[in-house]
Structures are given as structure tokens and as C-alpha cells.
Amino acid sequence: MDRDFLIDLFSDFGPVTIRRMFSGFGISADGTNFALALRAGLYFRADEATIPQFEAEGSKPFQYQTRAKTVTVNSYWQLPARLFDDPEELSGWARAALAAAQRAALRKRPKTRKPKAIASTARKPAKKSKNRAPKRRSSS
């Protein structure tokens, strides 16, 4: 999949940003990454609300091989091949994937920190420099 193909594929969805990533592209909208286009296919972000839709289509989660094992990434699922010929329905799936990515981003946001205690306004004495010779008082 090349960049022009992806731009055309998502034309019904709306404007997307496509960035080089690993062996393919990351696809985002409104600053949120919601899809991966890799050699193995197109993968959409999924969560507990959307995974059943992927399962019903016979899709599988993204997997990659390390030297020791196969790693399954359950947050990205392969887009059903039939959607490549139906841009309108693909657009609906893309909106659902973007919503899943936004929900995941909300869960990841760090908790707000407690404000630090206000520092005392009293001035600390200045540190003496080790490299300076002591000041001499002039006798007048």
C-alpha cells in the first residue's frame, strides 16, 4: 500500500495524516493514530466495543514475530478485505476505530498532580564561591 492509495481509500472518511512507520504507515485524524498500513494489511484500532465487529467478520488481531515468540497486539485488528471495495462502509469502520483510539487515549492520560507546596518567600543566604579571594575592606 502506498500513500496515494491510502489517501484515496480514506477520502470518504475525511482528511487523514499519513506518516512513515515501521514497515508501513501510521494513519491519524485530529492528531490521534487509529490505523496501521503494513505489508501484512490494514489494521484498525479496536477495543472492547469494536472487537466483536471484527470477530464477526473473521478478522484477526495484528501479530508479529520475534526471535522467541509470536506477539499478538489486541488493540489493532485487520480490516476485512471486502471493505476495500466499499469506501462508505470503510468510512464507518474508520470512525469507530478513531473513537476507540480516542477512548484509549483518555484512559492513558496521567492523573492530575497535586499542586506543590508554595515555597517560603524568605531569601536564602548566597553561597560563597570557592574560587574567589575574600573581599578586602579598605581602611579609610
Side-chain angles (χ1 to χ4, degrees):
M1 279 181 243
D2 67 357
R3 184 181 298 272
D4 293 333
F5 173 77
L6 293 169
I7 290 169
D8 186 48
L9 188 65
F10 286 96
S11 62
D12 282 5
F13 170 75
V16 293
T17 302
I18 299 172
R19 292 198 176 105
R20 203 88 182 89
M21 190 176 190
F22 310 119
S23 62
F25 298 98
I27 302 162
S28 60
D30 300 326
T32 302
N33 196 36
F34 70 93
L36 300 173
L38 305 170
R39 281 183 242 143
L42 185 59
Y43 294 85
F44 276 7
R45 181 69 190 220
D47 63 7
E48 63 280 344
T50 58
I51 287 174
Q53 187 178 10
F54 286 95
E55 289 174 331
E57 293 281 342
S59 294
K60 302 283 184 205
F62 174 63
Q63 293 183 330
Y64 63 93
Q65 195 71 36
T66 67
R67 290 180 190 207
K69 63 182 178 175
T70 299
V71 177
T72 300
V73 182
N74 282 314
S75 56
Y76 282 91
W77 283 65
Q78 189 161 27
L79 187 69
R82 69 176 183 78
L83 295 176
F84 285 93
D85 296 325
D86 190 347
E88 193 174 308
E89 191 175 355
L90 182 136
S91 179
W93 282 64
R95 277 189 265 291
L98 178 59
Q102 290 167 335
R103 286 189 295 270
L106 287 174
R107 286 191 297 267
K108 279 187 178 180
R109 289 221 169 119
K111 295 179 183 176
T112 56
R113 287 185 168 178
K114 293 180 183 177
K116 291 183 178 179
I118 298 173
S120 166
T121 56
R123 297 188 94 194
K124 292 180 181 179
K127 290 183 179 179
K128 293 182 181 178
S129 174
K130 294 179 182 178
N131 297 335
R132 286 189 176 172
K135 289 185 180 179
R136 295 183 184 185
R137 291 189 170 174
S138 60
S139 55
S140 22

